[in-house]
Every structure is written in structure tokens, then in C-alpha cells.
Amino acid sequence: METALTKTPEKRQVIFLAILLFLWESGSEAISYSLPEETESGYLVANLAKDLGLRVGELATRGAQIHHNGNKELLQLDAERGNLLLKEKPDREALCGETEPCVLHFQIILENPVQFFQTDLQLTDINDHSPEFPDTEMLLKIQEIAQPGTVFPLKAAQDPDIGSNAVQNYTVSPNLHFHVVTHSRSDGRKYPELVLDRALDREEQPELTLILTALDGGAPPKSGTTTVRIEVVDINDNAPQFVQSLYAVEIPENSPLNALVVTVSARDLDAGIHGNVAYSLFQGAGGSQPFVIDEITGEVRLKGALDFEATPHYNMEIVATDSGGLSGKCTVAVQVLDVNDNAPKLTISSLTSSIPENAPEAVVAVFSVSDPDSGDNGRMVCSIQNELPFLLKPTIKNFYTLVTERPLDRESRAEYSITITVSDLGTPRLTTQHTIRVLVSDINDNAPAFTQTSYTLFVHENNSPALHIGTISATDPDSGSNGLIIYSLLPPPDQQLGLPSLISINSDNGQLFALRALDYEALKAFEFRVGATDGGSPALSSQALVRVVVLDDNDNAPFVLYPMQNSSAPCTELLPRAAEPGYLVTKVVAVDRDSGQNAWLSFQLLKATEPGLFSVWAHNGEVRTTRLLSERDVPKHRLVLVVKDNGDPPRSASVTLHVLVVDGFSQPYLPLPEVALDPAHEDSELTLYLVIALASVSLLFLVSVLLFVGVRLCRKARAASLGGCSIPEGHFPGHLVDVSGAGTLSQSYQYEVCLTGDSGTGEFKFLKPILPNFQDHSLRPEMRENPNSRNDWGLDIQLK
């Protein structure tokens, strides 16, 4: 589309039509419009909705915005009608300066969905400025010997317009000596030179005044004038000449004030005062310039700050003048080098502060970046932190969208602080950062989780009802009602347990209570499951196993199994009078229904007829003699033992033992009456015991002789290869005296008697039984327990 406005001499009007270059490829091509400068505000540039292919009113419903990208806000959008209007009168010279073409870039941003359209507005120049000379009067000193054809430079007029509207020609008022010639510089600007047509005669006319006129190429053309005053000076036939006609230098834009830019040099072949050269800035294109020259040394220094973005280069002319008025001219072209002195700029166009945690690729922000520097100093790189689940997606030129890379999880992280970093590629790099705070809203996507998969609770038996026995705990990382947890007991698979009568739970905090007293002996442990349900919709739940272990209290006293205490006749143990110290009289057996240390039993002798004769092993209840029996010891003893557990407080039971001292197991046992014996009866009993002892010793001697003879015969009958003898099987009578002195119990012992292999001896020895013996091992026979005769009351002697 192209729009043209015309302009009459009486009234300025628009003379061009706006031109639309509409090359549309996937929404990325720019829409271009063109109009002349100084167009009145409110002017209809174009129907944007039609150019974008949208319906009337769609721009308003989609929240259309104009992003001016740092430019002056020249345009405004009538979203309802879709018209793009001029907001204020544009001035091309103020907006673009000498830049041609003058193109202003804008972006059209639409939402729902997000779309970007690049729009370019080109301002064309009109002839709205007249040429102006920097001075109202120029002074030229010309020697009278100047030859016709000599050229004298003049200062050029300035015209902010460009192209054909700039200065195109110079004229001078009619005279006899000079005419003016118009030349073009490398940048296309025109400058005048005064050419001498006829020799001057100072004596005839020492001074001339000319009017210099500058004309532009507008229709109609505009003009500007200045006065050229010429002084004719005496002879000075050599003008200064510069070493170089063109000095090209480069200077960074951040150079300090008074920095040396360049040193120019001119020579004058004249001698004396006519050879002295003075340097001066003749003229610089573009008005005042930030340079100053030393008139003696020719050093050009910086007097003002440079800005590459405002003026990238300068052209100035330097004149060397001698004392006679002759001059030479050179051109200094200064190229300002860009330094990275502008940090990138970030502009947010759209921002969303809260995103649901399950939303895929949600748009968080839309923003643009810009940097007025050039080259690598103006190239930008945009980034965010690597560890965040967000992505930056470039759209059209220098526009980005910040989106989520994947669905977010509020329980892992409820808030993100996203720092957008924009860095240019200059040296050193300049960086701009902008931080965006994004909140993640919650959904019920997490079930409650118990701190343990199973809980083990311990409670002592005989507890008080409604006792708090423990607490279960579950957590839910969701927030609000989604994280509110309700605890409950789940129905057990075993309905016989009667769980509701045993346990209750606080639905708010998970505290468990025992509803009635527990009995360890009846129920040692039981299990049940609990549930935790959140308040979300739909609700999520989880389960955990709870095991309750009942701890034992010392609520049962020890019970004596042996000897029985409830029988009508008391239990009497027999003790041989010849028993040696450590003889096992009997063993008290007791049990305790409690467990652990409450069932650890210890035995203690509480009372005894002879306190120093018997002792009780504290851990196994064995009752043993502590010394040899004497004739003065009474034959009947009464022992009272206490069985005590290890509980707190301890419980105990007592047992009474009756021990009867006999001379041998062959003596029949008759219960003795509970009467006092007279001394004569005691002497007769002592004599009887002595007789029994002698008979036992004699019998033992005879048995030993028989065994010796048997071994000798066996040795002769069998060869030495056998190295032994046959072993007769069978049991000896149970009324024999215990030769080992190990005592009498309801157990049988088997002894082995073996002759030595040496034929020259007739010795034999007794092997020891398995049961312990407290006598000196060097004096007593060795014994071995025979498992085949555990229920006998006799001794087995076996040859080996």
C-alpha cells in the first residue's frame, strides 16, 4: 500500500501515499508504510486490520499493542476500526538526522494466541529547511599578485534536508574579478570555491564585497546568503601547502577530553613573516564539532565527548594561513570507533505470575531486547539459569517468549525466581538482568505418605484404659485442603481380634489409644492397618501396618515344679554319709509365666538344720554339700529354699526339702518320726553306719579282685593285636555304694574299667562319668555317662 500527500505553495500538504510491502511468510515478514515528514497528526496511515487479514474488531478482542522499540511514539491504533493513525507530526531531521532512508521500526503484538507483526514506517524528506551559512560574513585576504584561475575555498552552507532538497548550487553576485564553482564532496554534499577571473590591483581596489548565495534543489528552491569580504594584500607569492591533502584517523568514542586526534603539518616556502603558518579549523560538516586545533603546532585535540550512536564520523577542513594571507587547506576524516558502552535493554510486554503445576508449555512472559551499539557490541545473547524447567523461545527479531519446558511440580518447588540475562558480545561484555517471580499453583496429585511403612508400638500389660500408646504420622506435600490428612482404622481381615474394642485412633493427629487393659500372657502382640486420606477432590489415600507388642510386667510369681509342694507326703532326698563336698543332693525346678528378666529365676537357701552343710547354686537350683558329713551331723535335715524372679519388684516362692542321711543306698528308708532321739539310740545308729561302711568297702575290694582276674585272663586269651579285652555287659546291683562319691540322683551312671596294655602290670582304673565331680581329679576314678542307663539306680562297670 502506498499513500501520497501533495503540498501546495500556499499550504503544506501530504504529497506521498504510504507504501505497504506485504510479503507474508508464516507471520515473519514486515509490513512497510511510507509517508512524508511534517504530516499532520491524526492522519490515517492504513487500515491495519485489513492489511493483517483480520476482521473488524479482532484487534480489540486480541489486545493489540504497538511496541515502539525505543522510538518516539508516532503511531496510535484504533483497535475498534483497525485504523493505524499518526499520533503527532513527524520531523525526519529530528528522528533520523542524516540517516537515509529514515525507517522507524514498530511491532504489533496480538494475544490469544500470541502473534507478532513487524511494521516499518519510512519518513520521506520534504524541502522544509533553507540553506544557512555558518557566518554572516566571510573574510578573504588575497594577494594582489594572485593569477587568474586561482581558487579560493569558501565555507559551505548547511541544509538539514537530504537528497535533492539539500544544497545543490552556489552563485555569487555579478562582478569583474570572480566567479563561483560548485564542487561535491565524497558524501555528496556541495561546497563552493571562488575562482579569480581577473588580476587584482590593491592600489586600484583594496577591498571587494560579494554576495554568495546557496540554492537547494526543492520545488520551489530555497536559498541562503552570506557576505564575502575580500581584502587585497601585498605580495606573498607562496601559499602554505599541507603534507597530506587528506588525513584519515580513527578514534574510540570513549576517548578522554583533550585526547590527541591527529597532528597536521603545512609548509610555506616564503621566508620571514610570510613563512609563518597558523592553523585553524576552517569548517566541519554537520555544524559544531567536538575538536580544537593548536594554531602553532597543528595538533587536533578532543574538546567534547564522542558518541558513536549519535555521530559515527566527522569530516573537517583545516586551513594553514601565512602572515601574508595565503592559505592552504586539508581535510581530516575522523571515524569514531564504537566501544561497548551501552548495556542491552530488556522490555517486558506480557507477564503471567502464577502457573498450574500440570500445565505443559505455559507462556510465562513475552519480552524484547535491544542494544544501540554496532557490530558485536550490538549482538545479544539471551539466557536463563540452566537448572530451571523453563525455555526461551525466539520469535521475530529480538523478541522472546519464556515458556515452561515440562509440567511443573509444586511439591518439589512452589516458587521460581527466573533471572533473564541479556549479554552483548562486546569487549568487555555488558549484561542486563531482569528477575521474574513465578508461583506454581497446587493440584491434588500426591497421596498421603506415612513416615514409616510399618510401626511397632510397645505397651506394658495391665495398662490403664484409654492409654495413649503411640502416634502414627503421614505427610502430604500438597497445600490447602489437598494436604489435609484424616486418619482411620481399617477393618482387619481377622474379625475375631475385636480391634474396635482394643484400639481407637484420633482422626486429626493419628494418636492411638488402648481402650482396655492388655494381658501379655493372653495376647503378646497383634497387628492392624491404618489409613490416611487427604481432603482433595478426588481424595487420595495410603495405608500403613501397625504392630502392637505387649510388654511383660512381673505379675506372676515363680512356680515350683520339683519337688511337688502340694502332695500329701513330703519329698525326701537321700544323702550318703560318705558323700564328699560338692555332692549333688537334688535339683529344684521352677518356672515363671512371665518373660524376659521377669522370668529369670535365682535360688537361695533360706533355712537349714545345719546351715553350713548345704549350699544352693543360685542359677540352676542344684543343692550340694559343702563339706564332709561327721558323726555328729543329724540324719535328717530340713531345708527351706526361696525361688525369686528378677522382676521389679521381684516375686518369690518357697520350697521345703527333707534330706535323709544314710550309710548306703541298701538301707531301707523309713520315715523318721518327728521326736527327739536319745543319746543311746544315736550311738547305735553310728555303729550301724560303720558296719555298713565296712561291708561296702569289702564288697568293693572283692569286685576289684574279680575285675583284675578277668582282665588277666582276657589278656592271655587274646593276642596282643587286640590290645584289650572283652567287655561284659549288664548292670551291677543298685544297692552298691557310689565309689566316686558323686552322690545319688534319679540318674544312672556307667563306668568303664580298662586294664592297661602293659602285660607287666595289673593295674586298672575307673573312667569318670559325664556329670561333674567336685573331687580332686588325681585321686578319684574317671567316669563317663552311659546314655543307655539314665533311669537306673545302679552302676555299670564295663571293661575296656
Side-chain angles (χ1 to χ4, degrees):
M1 175 180 178
E2 181 176 273
T3 303
L5 300 178
T6 61
K7 174 182 176 186
T8 64
E10 295 79 14
K11 183 178 181 180
R12 181 175 301 174
Q13 297 178 348
V14 177
I15 61 174
F16 297 102
L17 294 175
I19 301 174
L20 170 62
L21 301 177
F22 192 47
L23 300 175
W24 197 270
E25 293 181 1
S26 301
S28 62
E29 294 295 328
I31 304 174
S32 298
Y33 300 98
S34 177
L35 57 87
E37 65 173 331
E38 302 298 330
T39 302
E40 295 296 329
S41 61
Y43 173 75
L44 174 62
V45 179
N47 188 287
L48 185 61
K50 180 179 179 182
D51 295 340
L52 297 180
L54 303 176
R55 297 184 304 272
V56 176
E58 190 173 354
L59 291 177
T61 58
R62 296 184 61 183
Q65 303 179 40
I66 299 178
H67 182 75
H68 295 277
N69 198 21
N71 297 320
K72 192 173 183 180
E73 296 184 7
L74 293 178
L75 299 178
Q76 64 182 4
L77 180 63
D78 184 357
E80 294 295 331
R81 297 181 176 85
N83 292 330
L84 188 63
L85 305 176
L86 195 62
K87 189 174 182 181
E88 64 180 60
K89 182 187 296 185
D91 186 355
R92 191 204 66 81
E93 287 76 18
L95 294 174
C96 298
E98 298 179 0
T99 303
E100 180 65 17
C102 179
V103 179
L104 304 180
H105 302 285
F106 305 89
Q107 289 80 33
I108 307 300
I109 304 174
L110 302 182
E111 298 178 354
N112 301 320
V114 176
Q115 284 185 282
F116 303 84
F117 300 92
Q118 181 69 35
T119 305
D120 296 337
L121 177 62
Q122 180 177 354
L123 296 178
T124 58
D125 185 51
I126 64 173
N127 191 21
D128 57 341
H129 294 86
S130 298
E132 291 182 3
F133 287 93
D135 300 314
T136 59
E137 182 180 284
M138 288 187 285
L139 176 62
L140 292 179
K141 293 182 178 181
I142 303 176
Q143 293 182 351
E144 60 180 348
I145 63 171
Q147 299 297 319
T150 304
V151 177
F152 303 94
L154 299 174
K155 293 183 179 180
Q158 304 298 320
D159 191 340
D161 295 327
I162 61 173
S164 62
N165 294 326
V167 176
Q168 299 295 322
N169 191 25
Y170 291 90
T171 63
V172 68
S173 59
N175 63 91
L176 298 176
H177 296 279
F178 298 94
H179 74 274
V180 69
V181 178
T182 303
H183 296 282
S184 296
R185 295 193 182 98
S186 59
D187 58 357
R189 290 185 175 272
K190 310 294 185 179
Y191 66 93
E193 287 185 344
L194 194 63
V195 180
L196 182 61
D197 296 330
R198 179 182 174 185
L200 298 174
D201 186 358
R202 182 177 178 277
E203 287 71 23
E204 181 180 343
Q205 190 176 6
E207 184 174 302
L208 288 86
T209 301
L210 304 177
I211 302 299
L212 179 64
T213 302
L215 298 172
D216 63 19
K222 292 181 178 294
S223 63
T225 61
T226 185
T227 300
V228 179
R229 188 164 61 89
I230 301 172
E231 291 182 0
V232 181
V233 297
D234 203 5
I235 294 176
N236 182 21
D237 55 348
N238 289 288
Q241 292 184 350
F242 281 91
V243 177
Q244 298 175 226
S245 61
L246 175 64
Y247 291 84
V249 295
E250 295 179 343
I251 182 171
E253 64 174 321
N254 61 346
S255 299
L257 296 180
N258 204 37
L260 179 63
V261 179
V262 67
T263 300
V264 297
S265 177
R267 296 178 300 174
D268 193 335
L269 299 178
D270 293 330
I273 61 173
H274 296 297
N276 296 331
V277 177
Y279 300 96
S280 63
L281 289 176
F282 185 68
Q283 184 183 13
S288 61
Q289 300 190 16
F291 303 103
V292 64
I293 189 170
D294 189 299
E295 65 177 8
I296 298 175
T297 62
E299 292 180 348
V300 179
R301 293 185 178 273
L302 193 63
K303 72 172 182 179
L306 301 177
D307 187 2
F308 172 85
E309 289 73 33
T311 307
H313 56 81
Y314 294 89
N315 286 318
M316 57 182 172
E317 294 178 347
I318 297 177
V319 174
T321 306
D322 61 18
S323 60
L326 296 181
S327 63
K329 185 180 68 172
C330 73
T331 301
V332 177
V334 180
Q335 178 65 45
V336 181
L337 299 180
D338 182 39
V339 297
N340 195 22
D341 58 345
N342 291 282
K345 181 181 179 182
L346 186 147
T347 304
I348 298 293
S349 300
S350 175
L351 178 63
T352 302
S353 61
S354 180
I355 297 177
E357 61 178 320
N358 63 342
E361 287 200 15
V363 176
V364 179
V366 178
F367 62 93
S368 63
V369 295
S370 60
D371 192 327
D373 292 324
S374 64
D376 287 341
N377 297 332
R379 295 190 182 96
M380 293 165 289
V381 176
C382 192
S383 63
I384 60 174
Q385 303 97 307
N386 291 330
E387 69 275 8
L388 298 181
F390 295 90
L391 290 176
L392 282 178
K393 290 187 175 182
T395 54
I396 64 173
K397 181 180 180 181
N398 293 338
F399 268 85
Y400 294 85
T401 56
L402 177 64
V403 299
T404 56
E405 182 180 15
R406 60 180 181 271
L408 303 180
D409 184 11
R410 191 205 64 84
E411 289 70 38
S412 299
R413 191 166 179 179
E415 179 180 340
Y416 291 89
S417 182
I418 307 170
T419 300
I420 303 174
T421 302
V422 184
S423 302
D424 58 27
L425 301 181
T427 303
R429 287 193 171 191
L430 298 181
T431 299
T432 298
Q433 291 185 336
H434 185 84
T435 300
I436 298 174
R437 181 170 173 263
V438 178
L439 300 178
V440 183
S441 58
D442 183 56
I443 64 171
N444 191 26
D445 57 345
N446 290 279
F450 283 94
T451 56
Q452 301 172 215
T453 56
S454 62
Y455 295 82
T456 301
L457 306 178
F458 298 91
V459 56
H460 285 273
E461 63 175 331
N462 304 318
N463 58 284
S464 60
L467 176 67
H468 176 226
I469 62 174
T471 302
I472 61 171
S473 177
T475 59
D476 192 327
D478 292 326
S479 64
S481 61
N482 296 332
L484 181 64
I485 299 177
I486 299 175
Y487 299 91
S488 61
L489 295 176
L490 300 180
D494 184 9
Q495 299 295 335
Q496 297 179 354
L497 181 61
L499 183 63
S501 65
L502 289 176
I503 298 296
S504 69
I505 188 171
N506 189 318
S507 61
D508 295 329
N509 54 25
Q511 291 182 348
L512 293 170
F513 299 90
L515 298 180
R516 59 181 175 85
L518 302 177
D519 185 6
Y520 171 82
E521 287 74 28
L523 182 63
K524 292 181 173 59
F526 59 93
E527 295 179 348
F528 57 92
R529 303 191 75 85
V530 294
T533 305
D534 61 25
S537 179
L540 302 178
S541 63
S542 61
Q543 300 180 9
L545 178 66
V546 179
R547 176 177 173 82
V548 178
V549 178
V550 182
L551 300 178
D552 181 48
D553 281 344
N554 193 23
D555 57 347
N556 292 282
F559 179 76
V560 179
L561 298 178
Y562 181 84
M564 297 293 293
Q565 298 299 298
N566 57 354
S567 60
S568 58
C571 179
T572 303
E573 303 291 340
L574 301 181
L575 173 65
R577 188 174 292 278
E580 297 185 358
Y583 179 85
L584 178 61
V585 178
T586 186
K587 181 175 182 179
V588 177
V589 180
V591 295
D592 194 320
R593 292 182 62 193
D594 295 322
S595 65
Q597 66 178 8
N598 295 330
W600 296 350
L601 302 181
S602 61
F603 300 85
Q604 181 182 354
L605 181 60
L606 185 63
K607 294 181 181 180
T609 305
E610 290 290 341
L613 181 58
F614 300 96
S615 65
V616 178
W617 283 30
H619 300 297
N620 58 14
E622 292 181 352
V623 180
R624 295 181 180 270
T625 60
T626 59
R627 61 177 175 81
L628 292 172
L629 277 78
S630 65
E631 295 295 334
R632 290 178 297 178
D633 291 328
V634 297
K636 184 176 182 181
H637 297 267
R638 182 174 179 270
L639 306 179
V640 178
L641 281 74
V642 175
V643 183
K644 185 185 298 183
D645 60 26
N646 198 35
D648 185 19
R651 294 179 177 270
S652 62
S654 62
V655 57
T656 302
L657 298 176
H658 296 275
V659 179
L660 180 61
V661 180
V662 296
D663 292 329
F665 287 138
S666 60
Q667 178 181 356
Y669 163 68
L670 295 175
L672 297 180
E674 295 293 337
V675 296
L677 299 176
D678 56 5
H681 183 70
E682 291 179 359
D683 293 338
S684 63
E685 282 188 347
L686 182 59
T687 303
L688 177 62
Y689 294 154
L690 292 176
V691 172
I692 293 174
L694 291 175
S696 301
V697 171
S698 300
L699 179 60
L700 179 61
F701 177 76
L702 291 177
V703 171
S704 301
V705 171
L706 292 176
L707 289 175
F708 177 77
V709 173
V711 169
R712 297 290 293 178
L713 294 176
C714 179
R715 181 179 179 83
K716 292 179 181 181
R718 303 186 65 174
S721 60
L722 298 176
C725 60
S726 60
I727 302 175
E729 301 293 337
H731 299 283
F732 283 87
H735 62 274
L736 293 179
V737 178
D738 183 7
V739 297
S740 68
T744 61
L745 284 175
S746 300
Q747 305 180 32
S748 63
Y749 295 83
Q750 179 176 351
Y751 293 84
E752 298 180 4
V753 180
C754 181
L755 256 71
T756 62
D758 187 4
S759 60
T761 64
E763 299 178 354
F764 68 94
K765 72 176 181 176
F766 293 89
L767 301 180
K768 64 182 179 179
I770 297 301
L771 294 177
N773 194 340
F774 294 93
Q775 297 185 20
D776 186 5
H777 290 189
S778 63
L779 300 178
R780 66 178 177 82
E782 296 181 357
M783 299 178 293
R784 178 184 300 170
E785 181 181 5
N786 187 354
N788 297 325
S789 56
R790 290 184 178 271
N791 298 323
D792 281 339
W793 273 92
L795 299 175
D796 293 341
I797 300 177
Q798 185 176 10
L799 294 177
K800 182 177 182 182

